[in-house]
Amino acid sequence: MSVTAAPGFVAAGCHVGVKRKRRDLAILATDDGRPVAAAGVFTTNKFVAPPVVHSRGLLEANGGRASAVVVNSGNANAGTGDRGLADAKAMGKMTARAIGCDPRDVLVCSTGVIGLPLPMEKILPGIDRLATHLSRGGHGDAASAILTTDHVPKEGVVHGAGYTLGGMAKGCGMIAPNMATMLAFLTTDAEVDSPSLQSILREAAAETFNTLNVDGATSTNDTVFLLANGRAGKPRLDDFAAAVRELCMDLTLQMARDAEGVTKVVRLTVSGAASDAEARACAHAIAENNLVKCSWFGADPYWGRILAAAGSAGVAFEADRSFVAYGGIAVAKGGVEVAHDGAAVLAHMKQGEVEIECGLGAGSASARVIGIDLGPGYIKENIVTS
Amino acid sequence: MSVTAAPGFVAAGCHVGVKRKRRDLAILATDDGRPVAAAGVFTTNKFVAPPVVHSRGLLEANGGRASAVVVNSGNANAGTGDRGLADAKAMGKMTARAIGCDPRDVLVCSTGVIGLPLPMEKILPGIDRLATHLSRGGHGDAASAILTTDHVPKEGVVHGAGYTLGGMAKGCGMIAPNMATMLAFLTTDAEVDSPSLQSILREAAAETFNTLNVDGATSTNDTVFLLANGRAGKPRLDDFAAAVRELCMDLTLQMARDAEGVTKVVRLTVSGAASDAEARACAHAIAENNLVKCSWFGADPYWGRILAAAGSAGVAFEADRSFVAYGGIAVAKGGVEVAHDGAAVLAHMKQGEVEIECGLGAGSASARVIGIDLGPGYIKENIVTS
């Protein structure tokens, strides 16, 4: 059931013609149209898209609540200026009218190509029609309608102590730290006040979505929403936070495995850093380094490139105390290669998901990121899209 | 004549077996073995290779002078620890003995694969033999012997007011700001004291080599040397600095045009920045953005990706006052597309060298970098090299 797994939520998705053939419009709503507690985390990109401006403003103004989320794919409604903002508002207004709620309680998202106006003549009547199809069984259509270059829908459910948490997500390129071209929508029947919901979502996003680094690019549209209708009563907040984190990580890994051109998902740990911030910065620098990513594509345990990336990341680094390990097998220590089981390392590197650790020898802080390799598939998917 | 164009310098290059077939050892020296003023600029990578440690130490100890430079390609002598440092010293010592100078006046460079010990049994006798072939006509052999994945040698000469400045360089991958896998060797008969030589070289490198961004990767071995024997007397320092800058830019463009997998060289200007540092940071962020680089490969004037890269560069950015121009033709202003001659823009983007400007709308500072596109060729050249 994913995003409608918690009682009280309905969804629908259909094709209205933003894209040529595939589904491109989704609505997620409460089953009675009444607003529930809502939290949002948005892109940090300063070239921010109008729907993000609109939705962020709504949540700030209404103190964190929502009745529905309307999403189109195929067009990001970014780089569209005042007209784009008016279009985002019109999408919310039409959704509110169709399901009978306050337009100030309808969040709006768009994802797709930057720089073209939305085809409102297709979207507005589409919203009107789609609202009549909202149901608990509509989650699959909704999950497919929010996709862009994704190959598969991303859905997940976590069952907490007395409550349910479900979600769907999209994203497979332009994904870097800080929410890049990714959307995720989570719902729960747990009862959590808006401020707590917001801080739990922000923290979970930092530990999951923001550790995924597909290409170092940060999108203009990224958004994560969490809606809580309270029907199941109050959960223990630490238990609930863990459930949110678990679902977000599930969706994060689904995005990584579906990344543009991916052949390998890398769980990279940087340890021995002077601070948490330096550990994170270094981990992202390694995960974004094209030479490192090409060697991952080639299943090549080229530790020299890992250390070269770490050494130029602008963080404290002591080559004499550094190390690099693949699948738990140390290949280099103190900046030089050490005797190791080369066949075992190679076998590990040939898997679809690999573990790499780089020790900086400068302290005791560590960070983990999820990276992917760089192969011809990524380029093929990104040459011309406009 | 390139690196031997100024009277008083000789060079030679040959194959000794570090690489399978191509030339891999070069010597550049003064024609009488006597030391001359020398300056060096080195990689900022903290995972620094032993030859850099050795050469940097020599110039610090001897106040900036050199009789010769010995260079091998095919093996970076990086990630080789104490043994690597001993090998670098041994290369210098053998060179000194062969040409009859002080070993403290022999600079040493290596470039190639990281993590393997140098085959000293091939290199040391090779140095001994090669020194007997030093001549002014040997510049071409030397220029080809320092190459790694380069496709063509890079040589250049600038004639100043009464003096000559020549040079050779290598580098086509792992090139980012701050000297990444690139070597350049310049010589002149101008008379310039070591401290002036050092500051002129540092400034020229910042304005030329360090504006080239092939892949955001910073190497462990990058080095630029400038040797000045003074035979032509003292130049005007501003004139000399301009000549050094001119030669460095010539070599920089030769490297860009030969970059791994390159099909397009992009001269990118970021203007309207709040400070010079922010202009530079933003320009490099755009030039390193894989989505932007893929669109360049596709000759696609996808201005949305440029602004999305600028907006996430961590610098002041005002979308409402921003603009993007291709070949001087504004395509987007204020964050939205504006009417423009699409055919003219496309024709410009299909050229081998294109001009792009991105205005941040946040101030009056600007910076220029030289970037390249990202196509399948880059990946093909970087999958497995160890």
Side-chain angles (χ1 to χ4, degrees):
Chain A
M1 298 284 252
S2 82
V3 81
T4 57
F9 293 97
V10 289
C14 68
H15 174 256
V16 300
V18 187
K19 296 181 193 163
R20 210 166 318 159
K21 287 188 171 177
R22 294 192 300 155
R23 290 195 188 90
D24 48 21
L25 186 70
I27 300 176
L28 166 67
T30 58
D31 61 2
D32 53 7
R34 296 178 61 175
V36 298
V41 176
F42 301 95
T43 182
T44 56
N45 198 314
K46 289 174 186 169
F47 183 52
V48 62
V52 172
V53 173
H54 178 61
S55 298
R56 197 167 49 190
L58 288 183
L59 286 179
E60 279 167 14
N62 70 18
R65 65 174 203 215
S67 292
V69 185
V70 59
V71 190
N72 79 274
S73 61
N75 183 320
N77 191 12
T80 46
D82 294 341
R83 173 173 174 178
L85 195 58
D87 287 347
K89 282 180 187 163
M91 283 175 68
K93 204 169 165 186
M94 177 59 88
T95 306
R97 202 175 73 185
I99 68 174
C101 71
D102 190 321
R104 290 169 296 184
D105 294 337
V106 180
L107 303 169
V108 180
C109 294
S110 296
T111 177
V113 179
I114 300 174
L116 298 174
L118 284 180
M120 294 302 284
E121 73 287 359
K122 294 174 181 169
I123 289 177
L124 292 183
I127 290 173
D128 206 33
R129 282 196 310 275
L130 185 60
T132 65
H133 293 284
L134 285 163
S135 72
R136 281 194 84 184
H139 64 90
D141 287 352
S144 70
I146 63 175
L147 306 181
T148 53
T149 51
D150 304 61
H151 308 92
V152 294
K154 285 101 189 158
E155 300 188 275
V157 178
V158 170
H159 295 285
Y163 61 89
T164 300
L165 181 73
M168 61 181 182
K170 65 88 33 178
C172 59
M174 213 174 186
I175 293 186
N178 306 318
M179 315 262 91
T181 303
M182 58 144 297
L183 301 175
F185 307 104
L186 316 180
T187 59
T188 182
D189 52 358
E191 181 182 353
V192 184
D193 63 278
S194 296
S196 302
L197 208 60
Q198 181 65 38
S199 71
I200 285 168
L201 182 62
R202 183 171 301 282
E203 206 163 299
E207 292 174 14
T208 58
F209 299 124
N210 287 352
T211 67
L212 176 60
N213 199 321
V214 165
D215 53 15
T218 301
S219 153
T220 51
N221 290 57
D222 304 314
T223 303
V224 180
F225 289 134
L226 168 53
L227 275 59
N229 66 18
R231 292 194 192 178
K234 290 187 180 170
R236 273 186 44 194
L237 281 187
D238 55 350
D239 179 79
F240 180 71
V244 173
R245 206 161 48 232
E246 183 184 336
L247 179 56
C248 290
M249 186 51 95
D250 178 3
L251 295 171
T252 298
L253 284 170
Q254 290 185 51
M255 287 194 283
R257 291 179 190 125
D258 194 30
E260 287 172 350
V262 69
T263 73
K264 206 175 291 294
V265 172
V266 178
R267 288 169 174 259
L268 173 69
T269 303
V270 165
S271 57
S275 69
D276 288 349
E278 290 203 354
R280 271 195 306 275
C282 185
H284 281 296
I286 295 171
E288 287 176 20
N289 186 290
N290 282 353
L291 287 172
V292 168
K293 292 171 70 158
C294 285
S295 67
W296 290 346
F297 177 74
D300 183 8
Y302 195 169
W303 58 270
R305 285 187 180 169
I306 304 260
L307 291 184
S312 59
V315 303
F317 173 79
E318 298 296 336
D320 293 347
R321 292 197 293 270
S322 70
F323 73 89
V324 179
Y326 296 84
I329 304 168
V331 168
K333 284 184 185 173
V336 299
E337 190 159 309
V338 292
H340 63 274
D341 183 345
V345 169
L346 199 62
H348 181 75
M349 285 301 288
K350 285 190 170 166
Q351 295 179 278
E353 302 204 16
V354 306
E355 289 272 352
I356 302 177
E357 181 170 357
C358 175
L360 304 185
S364 58
S366 67
R368 284 172 65 86
V369 302
I370 299 165
I372 64 158
D373 60 343
L374 175 61
Y378 178 87
I379 291 170
K380 200 174 159 196
E381 297 202 31
N382 283 299
I383 292 174
V384 181
T385 62
S386 70
Chain B
M1 296 284 252
S2 84
V3 79
T4 56
F9 293 96
V10 290
C14 68
H15 173 257
V16 300
V18 185
K19 297 181 192 162
R20 210 166 317 160
K21 286 189 174 176
R22 295 192 300 157
R23 290 194 189 90
D24 48 22
L25 187 70
I27 301 175
L28 165 67
T30 59
D31 62 1
D32 54 7
R34 294 177 64 172
V36 299
V41 175
F42 302 94
T43 181
T44 56
N45 198 313
K46 289 175 185 168
F47 183 51
V48 61
V52 172
V53 173
H54 177 61
S55 297
R56 196 166 51 192
L58 288 183
L59 286 179
E60 280 167 14
N62 71 20
R65 65 174 203 214
S67 292
V69 185
V70 58
V71 190
N72 77 273
S73 61
N75 183 319
N77 191 13
T80 44
D82 293 340
R83 173 174 173 177
L85 194 57
D87 287 348
K89 281 180 187 163
M91 282 175 68
K93 201 168 166 186
M94 177 59 88
T95 306
R97 202 174 75 185
I99 69 174
C101 71
D102 190 321
R104 290 169 297 185
D105 294 337
V106 180
L107 302 168
V108 180
C109 294
S110 296
T111 178
V113 180
I114 300 173
L116 298 176
L118 284 180
M120 294 302 284
E121 73 287 358
K122 294 174 180 170
I123 289 177
L124 293 183
I127 289 173
D128 206 34
R129 282 196 311 275
L130 185 60
T132 65
H133 294 283
L134 285 163
S135 72
R136 281 193 86 185
H139 64 91
D141 287 353
S144 71
I146 64 175
L147 306 181
T148 52
T149 51
D150 305 59
H151 308 90
V152 294
K154 286 101 187 158
E155 301 187 276
V157 179
V158 172
H159 295 284
Y163 60 89
T164 299
L165 181 72
M168 61 180 182
K170 65 88 36 176
C172 59
M174 212 174 187
I175 293 185
N178 304 317
M179 316 259 92
T181 304
M182 58 143 298
L183 301 176
F185 306 103
L186 316 180
T187 58
T188 182
D189 53 357
E191 181 182 352
V192 183
D193 62 278
S194 297
S196 303
L197 207 60
Q198 180 65 37
S199 71
I200 286 169
L201 181 62
R202 184 170 300 282
E203 207 163 299
E207 292 173 17
T208 58
F209 299 125
N210 287 352
T211 68
L212 175 60
N213 199 322
V214 165
D215 53 14
T218 301
S219 153
T220 51
N221 291 59
D222 304 315
T223 303
V224 180
F225 289 133
L226 169 53
L227 276 58
N229 66 21
R231 292 193 193 179
K234 291 186 180 170
R236 271 186 45 195
L237 280 189
D238 56 349
D239 179 79
F240 181 70
V244 173
R245 205 161 48 233
E246 183 184 336
L247 180 57
C248 288
M249 186 51 95
D250 177 5
L251 295 171
T252 298
L253 284 170
Q254 290 187 49
M255 288 194 282
R257 291 179 189 125
D258 193 30
E260 288 172 350
V262 70
T263 74
K264 206 175 291 294
V265 172
V266 178
R267 288 169 175 260
L268 173 70
T269 302
V270 165
S271 57
S275 69
D276 289 349
E278 290 203 353
R280 270 195 307 274
C282 185
H284 281 296
I286 295 170
E288 286 176 18
N289 187 292
N290 281 352
L291 287 171
V292 168
K293 292 170 70 158
C294 284
S295 67
W296 290 345
F297 176 74
D300 183 8
Y302 195 169
W303 57 270
R305 285 187 179 168
I306 303 260
L307 291 184
S312 58
V315 304
F317 172 80
E318 298 296 335
D320 293 347
R321 292 197 292 270
S322 71
F323 74 88
V324 180
Y326 295 84
I329 304 167
V331 168
K333 283 184 186 173
V336 300
E337 191 158 307
V338 292
H340 63 273
D341 183 345
V345 169
L346 199 62
H348 181 75
M349 284 302 287
K350 286 189 169 164
Q351 296 178 280
E353 301 204 16
V354 306
E355 289 273 351
I356 302 178
E357 181 170 358
C358 175
L360 304 185
S364 58
S366 67
R368 284 172 66 87
V369 302
I370 299 165
I372 64 158
D373 60 342
L374 175 61
Y378 178 86
I379 291 170
K380 200 173 157 199
E381 297 202 32
N382 283 299
I383 293 173
V384 181
T385 62
S386 69

